[in-house]
Amino acid sequence: MSASALNLFAPVARWWAYRDLVRNLVSKEIKIRYQGAALGFAWSLMNPLMITLMYLVVFTYVFRSNLPHYPLFMVVGIIHWNLFSMLVMQSSEILVGNSDLLKKIYFPRLLVPFSSLLVNATLWLMALGIMLLMFTPLGGTWHWGMLLYPFYLLLFLGFTFGIMLTLCVLYVDFRDIKHLVEVFIQLLFWATPIIYPITRIHHPAMVMIMKASPLAEFTLIFQSLFWKGAVPPWNLTLAFAGWALLSLAVGLTLFYRRGAMLIERL
C-alpha cells in the first residue's frame, strides 16, 4: 500500500483504537437520559409521535389537504426533520458538557460530537422502524429505489454532523448560539416543505430560494423515495451531496483549527 493511502487511513485506525471509549460514551448517555424512567427508550418516541399526530389531526380534519396519501407525506418529512432538529439543538453544549472528560484524558476530540451523533441516531432508529412498519398502511409502495436510502441517509447525517461541529465550537465563545438555534430551528421548520408541498408556493423567487435550501433538498429526496415511489433526480442528489461535503469541510476545519485552543476555556 502506498504512503498516501496509509496517511489517508491513519486517522481511521487511530479512532478505531478508541472504539471502547465511544461505546462507553454512547452507553452512558443513553442510560443517564432514561435513568429511572419506567418506559425507558420508549420515551424517545413520544415527542415525535405526538408532534406527528398533532399535525395529522390539524391538517387532515381542520385544514384539509387534497394530496394523495397525505399522512405518509407528512410523516416522512417530520421523522427526518426530528432527527435533524434533535442533533442540531443538542450540539451546542457537546464540548462544554464533556469538559471534565476532555480536560482529564487525551483522545481524539472529534469522538465526543461523533458519540452524540450515534446516541441520537440510535434512538431515532426506533421512530424510523415504526414509520417503515406503517409504510404500506399509509399508502406507500416498496420499490427498488429505496435501496438507495442508506446512501441518502449518510449524506444527511454528514450534512448535519458538519453543522454540529460548527455549533459546538462556536458555543464555547458565544453562548447565545444555543438560543439563536432554538429560535431559528422553528423558523426553518415552516420554511421547509414538510407539511406542505413545494408546489403550493406560487411566488417564483420563493420557489427558487427554497429549492436551493439544503433542508428543502433533503426533504424532497426523502419524499421522492417514500411518498412518490421514485428515485430522486440526479441534479437533486448532486446538489445535496455538495451541501453535505461543504458542511463537513467547514465543520471539520473549524473544529480542528479551534478545538485544541478551546479546551482551556471550557
Side-chain angles (χ1 to χ4, degrees):
M1 187 176 292
S2 64
S4 59
L6 290 174
N7 291 333
L8 180 64
F9 288 102
V12 177
R14 187 160 58 94
W15 297 336
W16 180 251
Y18 291 92
R19 60 189 180 278
D20 290 334
L21 174 63
V22 174
R23 184 163 52 246
N24 289 333
L25 287 173
V26 172
S27 176
K28 182 192 75 171
E29 177 62 25
I30 293 177
K31 289 178 180 177
I32 291 176
R33 188 174 298 189
Y34 300 105
Q35 187 175 18
L39 297 180
F41 298 155
W43 284 112
S44 65
L45 296 174
M46 294 301 293
N47 186 48
L49 286 178
M50 291 302 296
I51 291 176
T52 302
L53 181 61
M54 178 187 68
Y55 282 121
L56 282 175
V57 170
V58 170
F59 289 95
T60 301
Y61 299 102
V62 181
F63 301 104
R64 285 181 172 273
S65 174
N66 56 3
L67 280 179
H69 309 303
Y70 181 70
L72 178 62
F73 173 87
M74 182 179 294
V75 168
V76 169
I78 291 179
I79 286 292
H80 292 92
W81 175 265
N82 282 336
L83 176 60
F84 172 78
S85 62
M86 182 169 52
L87 288 170
V88 171
M89 292 276 285
Q90 297 178 13
S91 63
S92 299
E93 297 180 326
I94 290 175
L95 294 180
V96 175
N98 290 277
S99 59
D100 291 339
L101 179 64
L102 290 169
K103 291 178 180 179
K104 287 179 181 178
I105 61 174
Y106 171 78
F107 60 93
R109 305 315 191 196
L110 190 68
L111 296 181
V112 173
F114 183 67
S115 298
S116 178
L117 176 71
L118 289 181
V119 169
N120 289 289
T122 300
L123 297 174
W124 174 80
L125 285 175
M126 298 174 64
L128 177 64
I130 290 179
M131 186 195 79
L132 294 178
L133 286 174
M134 296 298 296
F135 181 66
T136 300
L138 289 175
T141 302
W142 299 93
H143 60 99
W144 71 268
M146 295 177 68
L147 295 174
L148 297 173
Y149 177 65
F151 166 71
Y152 287 111
L153 184 60
L154 284 176
L155 284 181
F156 176 55
L157 290 175
F159 170 75
T160 307
F161 189 57
I163 296 176
M164 291 174 61
L165 294 177
T166 300
L167 292 177
C168 72
V169 170
L170 293 178
Y171 181 75
V172 176
D173 292 321
F174 307 101
R175 299 302 171 98
D176 290 338
I177 288 290
K178 177 183 177 181
H179 305 291
L180 288 174
V181 169
E182 292 174 352
V183 172
F184 279 101
I185 205 74
Q186 301 297 326
L187 296 177
L188 287 173
F189 175 82
W190 293 102
T192 305
I194 295 174
I195 61 175
Y196 59 86
I198 201 168
T199 54
R200 293 287 176 87
I201 303 174
H202 302 293
H203 195 287
M206 289 298 298
V207 172
M208 186 179 300
I209 292 173
M210 289 193 67
K211 285 186 175 181
S213 166
L215 300 177
E217 287 173 359
F218 85 71
T219 302
L220 294 174
I221 284 174
F222 294 135
Q223 287 171 352
S224 180
L225 283 175
F226 290 101
W227 180 62
K228 290 184 177 180
V231 176
W234 65 269
N235 58 332
L236 196 61
T237 299
L238 290 177
F240 188 66
W243 279 113
L245 291 175
L246 177 62
S247 176
L248 275 175
V250 172
L252 288 170
T253 300
L254 189 63
F255 190 88
Y256 279 114
R257 285 189 177 181
R258 295 177 57 87
M261 300 181 293
L262 294 176
I263 299 301
E264 297 178 356
R265 300 202 296 276
L266 289 175

